């Protein structure tokens, strides 16, 4: 394997923030309260593990017929399944809002992911956590085989 390196012509300049600068930035942020409604809207947007599994079960069938758990990334599924499913009129809504009928749904856990990873691994990790399993490998294997009854 070849190492991948990124070179820049010169080292980027990183500012030296003094305590005064940090205090000023914090004060400006606190005084600018337009972020509060967005923060609340995002914090109340979640989907259940059951809804996630329900959406997954439709992939390769009614939704995104070409879905392949061994090759389809999270980006693929979002762009080719989730976004089309969440369209409304000329725009769209968050899939979580649509699934929850536009009612707030506060999460029990925070999930982070990589857009380039396989979607099946994301779903398997969420489901394994919801089932208190120590790892997600067996769940991923069952999802890949389409054996949702074993999940």
């Amino acid at each position: 394997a070849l190492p991948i390196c990124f070179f820049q012509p010169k080292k980027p300049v990183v500012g030296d923030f003094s305590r005064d600068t940090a205090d000023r930035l914090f004060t400006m942020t606190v005084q600018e309260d337009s972020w509060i409604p967005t923060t609340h809207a995002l914090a109340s947007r979640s989907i259940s593990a059951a809804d996630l599994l329900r959406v997954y079960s439709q992939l390769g069938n009614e939704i995104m017929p070409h879905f392949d758990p061994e090759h389809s990334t999270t980006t693929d599924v979002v762009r080719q399944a989730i976004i089309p499913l969440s369209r409304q009129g000329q725009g769209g809504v968050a899939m979580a809002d649509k699934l929850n009928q536009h009612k707030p749904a506060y999460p029990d856990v925070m999930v982070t992911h990589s857009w380039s990873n396989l979607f099946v691994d994301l779903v398997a990790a969420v489901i394994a956590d919801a089932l208190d399993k120590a790892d997600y490998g067996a769940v991923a294997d069952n999802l890949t085989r389409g054996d949702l009854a074993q999940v």
Side-chain angles (χ1 to χ4, degrees):
L2 296 174
I4 298 175
C5 301
F6 297 96
F7 298 99
Q8 294 182 340
K10 66 180 190 175
K11 183 177 176 181
V13 177
V14 178
D16 180 25
F17 290 105
S18 67
R19 177 71 180 173
D20 289 338
T21 303
D23 287 343
R24 224 174 23 257
L25 288 172
F26 178 75
T27 303
M28 287 174 11
T29 302
V30 170
Q31 289 174 349
E32 176 60 54
D33 62 354
S34 64
W35 57 272
I36 293 173
T38 301
T39 302
H40 285 287
L42 292 173
S44 67
R45 187 180 291 164
S46 70
I47 66 169
S48 68
D51 280 340
L52 180 61
L53 196 57
R54 197 171 302 111
V55 169
Y56 181 87
S57 72
Q58 296 172 354
L59 293 172
N61 299 309
E62 310 95 69
I63 303 171
M64 195 177 161
H66 56 283
F67 173 76
D68 179 351
E70 294 178 346
H71 294 99
S72 297
T73 65
T74 300
T75 297
D76 297 333
V77 173
V78 168
R79 295 201 183 269
Q80 299 168 35
I82 304 302
I83 291 173
L85 285 172
S86 59
R87 290 214 189 278
Q88 278 189 307
Q90 296 296 317
V93 297
M95 188 66 164
D97 289 341
K98 186 173 181 178
L99 289 171
N100 294 314
Q101 300 169 337
H102 300 279
K103 295 177 185 157
Y106 292 91
D108 294 322
V109 296
M110 190 330 205
V111 176
T112 188
H113 61 83
S114 170
W115 292 103
S116 60
N117 285 351
L118 296 177
F119 186 67
V120 67
D121 289 339
L122 171 61
V123 175
V126 170
I127 300 304
D129 181 72
L131 297 173
D132 288 326
K133 294 189 179 278
D135 66 72
Y136 72 94
V139 176
D141 291 342
N142 289 326
L143 290 173
T144 299
R145 286 193 308 271
D147 192 1
L148 274 65
Q150 292 300 312
V151 173

